Amino acid sequence: MDVLLDRYGRTFANEAGIKLADQPKPLYQLLVLATLLSARISADVAVAATRELFAAGYSTPKAMREATWQDRVDALGRGHYRRYDERTATMLGQGAELLLDRWKGDLRRLRDEAGGDPREVAGMLMELPGIGPTGADIFLREAQAVWPQVAPHLDKKVLDGAANVGLPRQERSLARLARSGDELARLSAALVRVSRSKRTAEEVKSAAAAR
């Protein structure tokens, strides 16, 4: 746990410059990040493109909706998010429109409408363009830092990563190792990284054995 958190326990929201809190703006920013991370593209590119969107001022649903399609394409391009830029630009605009119309731009309203039930929350998230099962998992495993209602949310990638370094592969057992919602989100991010690389998993185990 210590090695994982020290070396890889930085959330993807943190990497994208999102100061996550239970407030409409950072929750929307997390939704944008989850949308971009859902594509078959590197996490580094998705994070960079997310930063470019926010640097251009598109960090709220209203700003995203009011940006032109070309504005969004250009921002994604500056982050080198080029394979999916046109489709994603469209989905971001449509998603902002739906979020404003149905939940007044506030994802807390979505959570409350779902009664805080993780499956219901995931189902509603998937009504937003660009958010499928993968995007919902990404959003929830980061949001659990500030949404205790949905914790623990440890999807298959997280559990696969846990198995790779000898941690429990059962959600509840793994969740009990974390001392807070924030630490659980950080652990989830670290285990996602471990799940993608056998070399990283071996590095973590070797470093832990040497302590």
Side-chain angles (χ1 to χ4, degrees), residues 147-207:
W147 279 6
Q149 302 94 326
V150 303
H153 187 86
L154 305 173
D155 56 76
K156 185 177 183 299
K157 284 188 177 180
V158 174
L159 298 177
D160 285 348
N164 288 348
V165 292
L167 291 176
R169 203 182 184 284
Q170 294 74 38
E171 184 177 65
R172 294 287 172 182
S173 298
L174 183 59
R176 282 195 289 269
L177 299 178
R179 290 163 288 194
S180 66
D182 179 68
E183 188 166 277
L184 187 57
R186 292 177 56 223
L187 176 62
S188 298
L191 291 173
V192 167
R193 293 183 176 98
V194 165
S195 74
R196 295 172 175 168
S197 168
K198 288 184 179 179
R199 180 180 296 178
T200 300
E202 291 302 320
E203 173 203 325
V204 168
K205 288 191 288 187
S206 296

Side-chain angles (χ1 to χ4, degrees), residues 30-38 87 91-92 95 107 121-140:
L30 177 58
L31 180 70
V32 171
L33 175 62
T35 302
L36 269 60
L37 282 169
S38 296
R87 180 168 173 264
M91 292 189 301
L92 288 171
L107 284 160
V121 172
M124 289 185 180
L125 286 170
M126 287 188 281
E127 294 180 31
L128 293 159
I131 298 291
T134 297
D137 278 337
I138 292 167
F139 181 91
L140 289 172

